[in-house]
Amino acid sequence: MLEIEGLVSGYGDLMVLSEVSLSVDKGDFVGIIGSNAAGKSTLIRAAVGLLPRVRGTVMFDGENVTGLAPYELATRGLAVVLEHGAIAKLSVNENLVLGAYRSAARTGISSALEQAFTLFPILASRRDQLAGSLSGGEQQMLCVARALMSLPKMIILDEPSVGLSPVMNTTILQALRQQHELGLTILLVEQNVTQTLRFVDRAYVLENGRIVHQGTSHELSNSRSIQEAYLGL
């Protein structure tokens, strides 16, 4: 579904990523984990065209999309949830409707809205409120639900747990797991290693812009080097 090969990117003359390669198969729930400043957000932004790619290729759904703009990837079914993505001056309902931008999603907006409110019931009670009036966790739920409104083939989430309580973060991860069980392909980028490995099937570990480990969640959870570096064991 998504293949990244030899990706090099950064900011100006500062190269953050060094020959990063990874793959996400259709139906996978994959994590990218690592400490702060490991290059996780840079990787996602470069992969979807928000940062220039110095070298490397990106394939999505069997097509070379290396040179495509983010909106072009979105129309092909790749949804991305970045930090602080809610449109504050629009209502919850308006934010969600904006998510149904793909032609495949426009005819089923009413049904998709009900599914969003079923997945995150708190949004149903807030549907007429401005998004900017929601709590941080509620806004993150809104961003996830809005991405799902497009009926994506795959969704990428960049550190959705930032600033959230453990309870709110678990709620979002449980919702994602539910969507994965319904067939959605997910790539989750997270600093919270312990909780991420509870939900994903397999993961890559990024350090200093390089992939240094990969394996199933079970393998990584039981790896002594991962335990010492990230789990405090």
Side-chain angles (χ1 to χ4, degrees):
M1 179 66 74
L2 179 69
E3 295 182 24
I4 298 173
E5 184 68 32
L7 189 60
V8 177
S9 183
Y11 304 87
D13 294 330
L14 175 63
M15 291 298 101
V16 176
L17 303 180
S18 180
E19 303 289 342
V20 173
S21 299
L22 60 86
S23 64
V24 181
D25 294 331
K26 184 177 181 180
D28 271 355
F29 193 170
V30 176
I32 299 176
I33 56 179
S35 60
N36 190 32
K40 301 185 301 299
S41 293
T42 301
L43 171 57
I44 297 309
R45 291 176 180 274
V48 302
L50 290 170
L51 283 176
R53 310 173 186 100
V54 176
R55 288 195 304 277
T57 59
V58 180
M59 303 286 294
F60 177 65
D61 202 21
E63 179 184 3
N64 190 329
V65 297
T66 306
L68 298 187
Y71 75 89
E72 294 175 300
L73 290 176
T75 60
R76 284 164 170 75
L78 181 60
V80 182
V81 178
L82 302 175
E83 291 182 57
H84 312 302
I87 303 175
K89 294 184 178 181
L90 295 182
S91 70
V92 167
N93 207 74
E94 289 168 334
N95 266 271
L96 291 173
V97 170
L98 279 179
Y101 51 82
R102 294 181 67 218
S103 57
R106 290 173 190 159
T107 58
I109 291 178
S110 296
S111 175
L113 281 171
E114 290 310 309
Q115 291 176 22
F117 292 142
T118 299
L119 189 64
F120 297 119
I122 190 65
L123 296 181
S125 63
R126 306 277 198 271
R127 63 192 307 163
D128 296 320
Q129 285 185 220
L130 294 180
S133 70
L134 303 181
S135 70
E138 291 166 351
Q139 289 191 37
Q140 195 62 271
M141 288 180 185
L142 175 58
C143 291
V144 173
R146 186 179 62 198
L148 295 174
M149 287 287 295
S150 70
L151 303 182
K153 298 175 183 178
M154 178 178 176
I155 185 171
I156 299 176
L157 301 103
D158 185 17
E159 300 203 85
S161 72
V162 171
L164 302 189
S165 70
V167 171
M168 192 67 77
N169 187 37
T170 298
T171 299
I172 291 174
L173 288 173
Q174 287 174 337
L176 290 173
R177 189 71 197 183
Q178 179 182 333
Q179 292 301 301
H180 170 253
E181 291 169 355
L182 293 174
L184 182 62
T185 304
I186 303 174
L187 178 60
L188 174 65
V189 180
E190 262 295 349
Q191 185 176 341
N192 189 328
V193 174
T194 303
Q195 196 160 35
T196 299
L197 291 177
R198 286 177 49 210
F199 286 90
V200 302
D201 298 320
R202 60 186 181 90
Y204 294 88
V205 181
L206 193 67
E207 286 183 7
N208 299 318
R210 296 177 181 270
I211 300 293
V212 295
H213 299 284
Q214 60 178 295
T216 67
S217 56
H218 177 75
E219 290 169 344
L220 293 176
S221 294
N222 289 280
S223 165
R224 193 60 194 167
S225 61
I226 299 299
Q227 291 175 346
E228 291 175 351
Y230 300 102
L231 304 183
L233 300 177

